[in-house]
Protein backbone atom coordinates (compact mmCIF):
# COMPACT_ATOMS: atom_id res chain seq x y z
CA UNK A 1 0.00 0.00 0.00
CA UNK A 2 1.41 3.38 -0.97
CA UNK A 3 2.30 5.74 1.83
CA UNK A 4 1.39 9.36 2.35
CA UNK A 5 2.62 11.52 -0.48
CA UNK A 6 3.29 15.23 -0.36
CA UNK A 7 4.00 17.64 -3.18
CA UNK A 8 6.13 19.50 -3.80
CA UNK A 9 9.01 18.18 -1.73
CA UNK A 10 10.91 21.47 -1.82
CA UNK A 11 9.74 25.01 -2.37
CA UNK A 12 11.34 28.44 -2.27
CA UNK A 13 9.10 31.46 -1.96
CA UNK A 14 9.53 35.16 -1.35
CA UNK A 15 8.19 36.99 1.67
CA UNK A 16 4.64 38.20 1.01
CA UNK A 17 3.78 35.46 -1.47
CA UNK A 18 1.37 32.64 -0.82
CA UNK A 19 1.90 28.91 -1.13
CA UNK A 20 -0.25 25.79 -1.46
CA UNK A 21 0.97 22.38 -0.36
CA UNK A 22 -0.68 19.10 -1.24
CA UNK A 23 -1.09 15.82 0.60
CA UNK A 24 -2.49 12.49 -0.53
CA UNK A 25 -3.27 10.15 2.37
CA UNK A 26 -2.88 6.41 2.47
CA UNK A 27 -5.69 4.74 0.57
CA UNK A 28 -8.65 4.25 2.89
CA UNK A 29 -7.46 6.82 5.42
CA UNK A 30 -10.04 9.52 5.91
CA UNK A 31 -8.35 11.81 8.42
CA UNK A 32 -5.52 14.15 7.47
CA UNK A 33 -3.48 16.30 9.86
CA UNK A 34 -0.86 18.91 9.14
CA UNK A 35 2.19 19.79 11.24
CA UNK A 36 4.93 22.39 11.05
CA UNK A 37 8.45 21.42 12.10
CA UNK A 38 11.16 23.98 12.81
CA UNK A 39 14.46 23.64 14.67
CA UNK A 40 13.32 26.11 17.32
CA UNK A 41 9.73 25.03 17.94
CA UNK A 42 9.87 21.37 17.00
CA UNK A 43 6.78 19.65 15.64
CA UNK A 44 3.62 21.70 16.05
CA UNK A 45 0.08 20.71 15.16
CA UNK A 46 -1.61 22.90 12.55
CA UNK A 47 -5.00 21.33 11.84
CA UNK A 48 -6.89 18.12 11.20
CA UNK A 49 -9.47 17.39 8.53
CA UNK A 50 -12.06 14.67 8.29
CA UNK A 51 -14.94 14.38 5.82
CA UNK A 52 -13.96 17.69 4.24
CA UNK A 53 -14.37 19.47 7.59
CA UNK A 54 -11.76 20.96 9.84
CA UNK A 55 -12.02 19.01 13.04
CA UNK A 56 -9.24 20.53 15.13
CA UNK A 57 -6.96 23.51 14.79
CA UNK A 58 -3.69 24.36 16.48
CA UNK A 59 -2.46 27.74 17.62
CA UNK A 60 -1.47 29.30 14.32
CA UNK A 61 -2.56 32.60 12.72
CA UNK A 62 -5.32 32.76 10.16
CA UNK A 63 -2.74 32.97 7.35
CA UNK A 64 -2.57 29.21 7.66
CA UNK A 65 -5.58 27.44 6.21
CA UNK A 66 -6.44 24.12 4.73
CA UNK A 67 -9.09 22.04 3.11
CA UNK A 68 -9.92 18.47 2.34
CA UNK A 69 -11.50 17.08 -0.78
CA UNK A 70 -14.06 14.31 -1.13
CA UNK A 71 -11.30 11.82 -1.99
CA UNK A 72 -9.58 12.70 1.34
CA UNK A 73 -6.72 14.52 -0.36
CA UNK A 74 -5.83 17.70 1.47
CA UNK A 75 -4.19 21.01 0.76
CA UNK A 76 -2.84 23.64 3.07
CA UNK A 77 -2.31 27.25 2.15
CA UNK A 78 -0.14 29.89 3.73
CA UNK A 79 -0.78 33.46 2.67
CA UNK A 80 1.46 36.51 3.06
CA UNK A 81 4.50 34.41 3.77
CA UNK A 82 6.92 35.50 6.49
CA UNK A 83 10.52 34.48 6.96
CA UNK A 84 9.47 32.55 10.07
CA UNK A 85 7.25 30.30 7.97
CA UNK A 86 10.33 28.54 6.66
CA UNK A 87 9.87 25.00 7.92
CA UNK A 88 9.22 21.39 7.09
CA UNK A 89 5.47 20.91 6.65
CA UNK A 90 4.33 17.41 7.40
CA UNK A 91 1.08 15.73 6.53
CA UNK A 92 -0.15 12.68 8.43
CA UNK A 93 -3.10 10.42 7.73
CA UNK A 94 -5.05 8.02 9.88
CA UNK A 95 -7.96 5.69 9.34
CA UNK A 96 -10.35 7.66 11.49
CA UNK A 97 -10.23 10.93 13.39
CA UNK A 98 -9.34 10.80 17.02
CA UNK A 99 -6.62 8.23 16.60
CA UNK A 100 -3.09 9.29 17.23
CA UNK A 101 -1.69 6.33 15.29
CA UNK A 102 -0.76 8.48 12.36
CA UNK A 103 1.31 7.85 9.26
CA UNK A 104 3.43 10.74 8.12
CA UNK A 105 4.52 11.78 4.68
CA UNK A 106 8.07 12.90 3.84
CA UNK A 107 7.16 16.56 4.18
CA UNK A 108 7.50 19.69 2.09
CA UNK A 109 10.54 21.83 2.86
CA UNK A 110 9.46 25.47 2.47
CA UNK A 111 12.08 28.20 2.41
CA UNK A 112 10.93 31.81 2.53
CA UNK A 113 13.47 34.41 1.42
CA UNK B 1 4.65 22.41 26.14
CA UNK B 2 5.26 18.68 25.88
CA UNK B 3 4.00 16.66 28.82
CA UNK B 4 6.99 14.32 28.71
CA UNK B 5 10.65 14.40 29.68
CA UNK B 6 13.25 12.45 27.75
CA UNK B 7 17.05 12.42 27.80
CA UNK B 8 18.37 14.48 24.90
CA UNK B 9 20.67 11.78 23.59
CA UNK B 10 21.67 8.14 24.03
CA UNK B 11 24.10 5.75 22.42
CA UNK B 12 23.62 2.04 21.86
CA UNK B 13 25.85 -0.66 20.41
CA UNK B 14 24.58 -2.41 17.32
CA UNK B 15 22.85 -5.67 18.16
CA UNK B 16 22.21 -4.69 21.75
CA UNK B 17 18.88 -3.66 23.22
CA UNK B 18 18.15 0.06 23.25
CA UNK B 19 16.11 1.19 26.26
CA UNK B 20 14.68 4.68 25.89
CA UNK B 21 13.10 6.17 29.01
CA UNK B 22 10.30 8.70 29.23
CA UNK B 23 8.82 10.48 32.23
CA UNK B 24 5.19 11.58 32.10
CA UNK B 25 4.33 12.24 35.73
CA UNK B 26 1.22 14.35 34.93
CA UNK B 27 -0.40 11.81 32.63
CA UNK B 28 -4.19 11.68 32.89
CA UNK B 29 -6.29 8.56 33.12
CA UNK B 30 -7.52 8.87 29.55
CA UNK B 31 -4.13 9.53 28.00
CA UNK B 32 -2.14 6.99 26.08
CA UNK B 33 1.62 6.85 25.70
CA UNK B 34 2.74 7.00 22.07
CA UNK B 35 6.18 6.56 20.59
CA UNK B 36 7.27 7.89 17.23
CA UNK B 37 10.69 8.19 15.67
CA UNK B 38 12.07 10.46 13.01
CA UNK B 39 14.97 9.46 10.88
CA UNK B 40 16.87 12.38 9.41
CA UNK B 41 14.98 14.17 6.63
CA UNK B 42 11.96 11.89 6.87
CA UNK B 43 8.53 12.27 8.43
CA UNK B 44 7.93 10.75 11.88
CA UNK B 45 7.16 7.04 11.99
CA UNK B 46 4.65 5.54 14.40
CA UNK B 47 6.21 2.83 16.58
CA UNK B 48 3.85 1.75 19.33
CA UNK B 49 1.37 2.99 21.90
CA UNK B 50 -0.19 1.79 25.13
CA UNK B 51 -2.49 2.77 27.97
CA UNK B 52 -1.37 0.80 31.01
CA UNK B 53 -0.39 -2.67 29.92
CA UNK B 54 2.90 -3.53 28.34
CA UNK B 55 2.73 -3.73 24.57
CA UNK B 56 4.85 -5.43 21.94
CA UNK B 57 4.83 -5.34 18.18
CA UNK B 58 7.25 -6.20 15.42
CA UNK B 59 9.25 -3.04 15.98
CA UNK B 60 9.49 -2.60 19.73
CA UNK B 61 8.18 -3.20 23.22
CA UNK B 62 6.63 -0.61 25.48
CA UNK B 63 6.88 -0.99 29.23
CA UNK B 64 4.64 1.33 31.29
CA UNK B 65 5.10 1.51 35.05
CA UNK B 66 2.17 0.58 37.25
CA UNK B 67 1.61 4.20 38.32
CA UNK B 68 1.86 5.20 34.61
CA UNK B 69 4.25 8.04 35.42
CA UNK B 70 7.02 6.68 33.24
CA UNK B 71 7.62 4.28 30.40
CA UNK B 72 10.44 2.65 28.48
CA UNK B 73 10.62 1.90 24.78
CA UNK B 74 12.74 -1.14 24.05
CA UNK B 75 14.29 -1.87 20.67
CA UNK B 76 15.43 -5.46 21.28
CA UNK B 77 18.24 -5.66 18.73
CA UNK B 78 19.22 -2.20 17.60
CA UNK B 79 20.61 -1.74 14.09
CA UNK B 80 22.31 1.22 12.48
CA UNK B 81 19.00 2.02 10.76
CA UNK B 82 17.44 2.64 14.18
CA UNK B 83 19.51 5.80 14.55
CA UNK B 84 16.86 8.50 14.86
CA UNK B 85 15.14 10.95 17.16
CA UNK B 86 12.60 9.13 19.32
CA UNK B 87 9.56 11.02 20.59
CA UNK B 88 7.47 9.99 23.57
CA UNK B 89 4.03 11.61 23.55
CA UNK B 90 1.07 11.38 25.90
CA UNK B 91 -2.28 12.19 24.39
CA UNK B 92 -5.90 11.17 24.47
CA UNK B 93 -7.04 9.37 21.38
CA UNK B 94 -9.68 11.91 20.46
CA UNK B 95 -7.87 15.21 20.15
CA UNK B 96 -4.91 15.78 17.86
CA UNK B 97 -4.34 19.16 19.50
CA UNK B 98 -2.67 17.29 22.31
CA UNK B 99 -0.15 15.48 20.14
CA UNK B 100 2.74 17.52 21.51
CA UNK B 101 6.09 16.39 20.23
CA UNK B 102 8.85 17.44 22.59
CA UNK B 103 12.54 17.52 21.78
CA UNK B 104 12.81 13.72 21.89
CA UNK B 105 15.85 11.53 22.41
CA UNK B 106 18.49 11.32 19.70
CA UNK B 107 19.51 7.65 19.64
CA UNK B 108 22.76 6.84 17.93
CA UNK B 109 23.42 3.18 17.22
CA UNK B 110 27.13 2.53 16.87
CA UNK B 111 28.81 -0.40 15.14
Amino acid sequence: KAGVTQTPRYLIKTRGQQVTLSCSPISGHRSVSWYQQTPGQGLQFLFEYFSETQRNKGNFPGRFSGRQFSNSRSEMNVSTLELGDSALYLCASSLEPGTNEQYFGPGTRLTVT
Amino acid sequence: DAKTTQPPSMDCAEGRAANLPCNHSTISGNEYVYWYRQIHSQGPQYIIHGLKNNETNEMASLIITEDRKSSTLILPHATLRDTAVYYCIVAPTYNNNDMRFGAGTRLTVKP
Side-chain angles (χ1 to χ4, degrees):
Chain A
K1 187 182 280 190
V4 177
T5 58
Q6 293 187 244
T7 56
R9 292 293 312 278
Y10 302 92
L11 204 51
I12 299 175
K13 289 286 189 179
T14 303
R15 194 170 51 182
Q17 289 186 314
Q18 75 166 14
V19 66
T20 298
L21 312 180
S22 181
C23 171
S24 293
I26 291 172
S27 178
H29 284 196
R30 302 194 295 162
S31 176
V32 173
S33 298
W34 288 89
Y35 294 81
Q36 181 197 65
Q37 186 172 31
T38 60
Q41 299 296 318
L43 255 163
Q44 294 185 286
F45 171 76
L46 279 158
F47 26 65
E48 179 195 12
Y49 285 87
F50 173 73
S51 291
E52 303 176 63
T53 302
Q54 187 179 86
R55 186 171 172 272
N56 282 307
K57 182 174 167 57
N59 189 25
F60 277 82
R63 300 185 298 106
F64 292 81
S65 63
R67 60 178 176 168
Q68 186 181 35
F69 301 94
S70 58
N71 61 359
S72 295
R73 192 177 68 84
S74 177
E75 289 181 347
M76 67 162 283
N77 184 77
V78 188
S79 62
T80 320
L81 283 166
E82 301 177 359
L83 297 179
D85 297 332
S86 294
L88 180 67
Y89 289 88
L90 292 156
C91 167
S93 75
S94 56
L95 274 170
E96 298 289 339
T99 172
N100 288 322
E101 185 177 336
Q102 300 179 68
Y103 296 85
F104 284 79
T108 294
R109 172 80 55 189
L110 172 66
T111 302
V112 182
T113 61
Chain B
D1 292 332
K3 301 178 183 177
T4 62
T5 304
Q6 299 177 254
S9 64
M10 291 181 63
D11 290 341
C12 177
E14 188 178 18
R16 304 296 294 268
N19 296 283
L20 292 93
C22 179
N23 288 321
H24 31 79
S25 58
T26 61
I27 190 170
S28 301
N30 66 342
E31 290 182 317
Y32 286 69
V33 180
Y34 291 82
W35 283 85
Y36 282 76
R37 71 181 182 184
Q38 188 171 23
I39 297 170
H40 183 61
S41 299
Q42 298 181 22
Q45 177 189 22
Y46 165 81
I47 301 173
I48 198 168
H49 75 279
L51 183 62
K52 56 183 178 181
N53 297 320
N54 298 336
E55 302 288 344
T56 295
N57 63 20
E58 65 278 5
M59 288 183 66
S61 295
L62 173 61
I63 309 297
I64 303 174
T65 58
E66 192 168 344
D67 63 7
R68 303 211 320 126
K69 292 185 177 182
S70 66
S71 60
T72 301
L73 178 74
I74 302 172
L75 307 178
H77 305 287
T79 71
L80 299 179
R81 288 178 295 179
D82 292 322
T83 293
V85 177
Y86 286 77
Y87 297 99
C88 169
I89 303 154
V90 295
T93 60
Y94 52 82
N95 188 343
N96 275 4
N97 275 339
D98 287 332
M99 279 288 282
R100 302 181 189 183
F101 288 75
T105 295
R106 183 172 298 278
L107 174 69
T108 302
V109 180
K110 299 184 174 181

